[in-house]
Amino acid sequence: MRKVSIEAPAKINLGLRITGVRSDGFHSLESIFSTVTLTDEITVSLNPRVSRVSLTCTGIPSPTDENNLVWKAAQAFMNEADVKDRDGISITLHKNIPSPGGLGGGSSDAAAVLLALRDLTGIRINLTPLGERLGSDVPFFLLRAGSAFVTGRGEVLKEMVLPHFHCVLVHSGEKIPTPAAFKLWDEHRGDLTEACPISNYTALKFGAWHEGKPFPVRLDNHFLTLLHGRYPGVTRTAEELSRLTGDWGLSGSGPAFYALFRSENEAKEAEEHLAGKFPWVFRCQSR
Ligand code: C5P
C-alpha cells in the first residue's frame, strides 16, 4: 500500500490589518504569513480495507470524524476528483500545533492532505478552489512557500523572502473562536486607529535586521487591539512579551503569540523565562 508522509507547518502573522467586509460576508485583510518549524505530521494512504475516510489522531487531542478539517479535505478531494468507487483513505495525524491558536494548524493539515491525495491518486485537479472552500488560510499552505504577502480573504498571495529568524511561540490556553474575533472588529472597528499598511513589502527583502536594525515588518495586529483587555490571557501574554523584546506579535486572531530573535541563544533564554508562566511554549525558527 503506497503512502505519502507530509509535514504541515504552522504559520505566524507578521502584522495583520483587516481592511473591510466583502460581499460574501468574509473580511478582507492584509498580512504577511510566515511558516515556522512547528509542524503536524500526516501520513495518507489509499486503503481498500476501509470505506471512505478513516482518521487516527495522536498528540494534542483532535476530532477523528467530520469535525476535523483533515477529514473534510479528504472527503472534498474524493468528491471533486470523482473517486467514489475506489479505495478508502486512511490518514494518521500527529498534532503538535495547538488549535484554535491563530497558527493555521487546521488549514495547514487540510492543505497537506489535498497535496498528498493529488500525489497518491495522480489526479491533477486544481486544489486552490477546493482549499478556499475548506478555509481562508488553506490557499497559503497549498503554496508551500516560506512567507507570502497575503490579501483578499487570504487567497491573494505573493511569495516573498524574509530574514531568517528564531522564535518562541506562547499560548495562554485561552479559547478565542475566529468568528468571535472578527465579530469584535465588526462591532468596534471605530476604536481602531488606522495601522500602517503592510504593503511596502518589497523593502523587506533588504532588511538588515541581523545587523541590529528594527525588524523590517510592522508587527501590529488589529485583533490584538480588539482582544486586549477583553481576554485576560491575551493581556497577560502581551505584557509578558513586551518585557522581553520589541519584536513580538499576536498570530492571526490568537491567542498564540510569537517573539522573534536573531540568535538561537536569545530564543533559548526567552523560552526558559516563559516556560513556567504559560501552559504551552514552543521554540522554533522560520522555514
Ligand atoms: O475561513 P475560515 O474557516 O478560517 O473562517 C472561519 C470564520 O472566520 C468564517 O466563518 C468567518 O466568520 C471568519 N472569517 C472572516 N474573514 C476571513 C477569514 C475568516 O470573516 N478572511
Side-chain angles (χ1 to χ4, degrees), residues 25-27 29 134-136 153 178-179 182:
F26 282 88
H27 295 74
L29 47 88
L134 289 164
S136 306
R153 177 198 147 195
T178 308
F182 276 106

Side-chain angles (χ1 to χ4, degrees), residues 36-165:
V36 293
T37 56
L38 163 66
T39 56
D40 287 342
E41 290 135 41
I42 296 177
T43 301
V44 184
S45 54
L46 297 181
N47 186 347
R49 289 192 302 264
V50 301
S51 63
R52 300 164 73 85
V53 182
S54 148
L55 172 62
T56 311
C57 296
T58 53
I60 299 175
S62 343
T64 54
D65 57 13
E66 67 275 11
N67 293 311
N68 195 316
L69 211 51
V70 157
W71 198 99
K72 286 190 184 135
Q75 195 58 56
F77 185 93
M78 297 286 267
N79 293 343
E80 188 76 13
D82 206 16
V83 289
K84 48 184 170 295
D85 295 331
R86 296 228 220 149
D87 299 338
I89 301 170
S90 285
I91 305 172
T92 61
L93 164 64
H94 185 74
K95 193 96 194 115
N96 297 311
I97 307 172
S99 179
L103 297 169
S107 303
S108 185
D109 296 344
V113 165
L114 294 179
L115 291 165
L117 280 171
R118 188 168 67 177
D119 186 7
L120 275 173
T121 61
I123 299 171
R124 310 218 65 78
I125 53 171
N126 182 3
L127 299 180
T128 306
L130 207 57
E132 265 177 52
R133 288 202 291 277
L134 289 164
S136 306
D137 294 346
V138 180
F140 167 72
F141 290 108
L142 286 172
L143 194 64
R144 301 299 276 180
S147 303
F149 180 64
V150 179
T151 53
R153 177 198 147 195
E155 80 289 13
V156 184
L157 304 161
K158 272 193 189 150
E159 205 171 331
M160 57 185 289
V161 179
L162 279 174
H164 176 259
F165 56 79

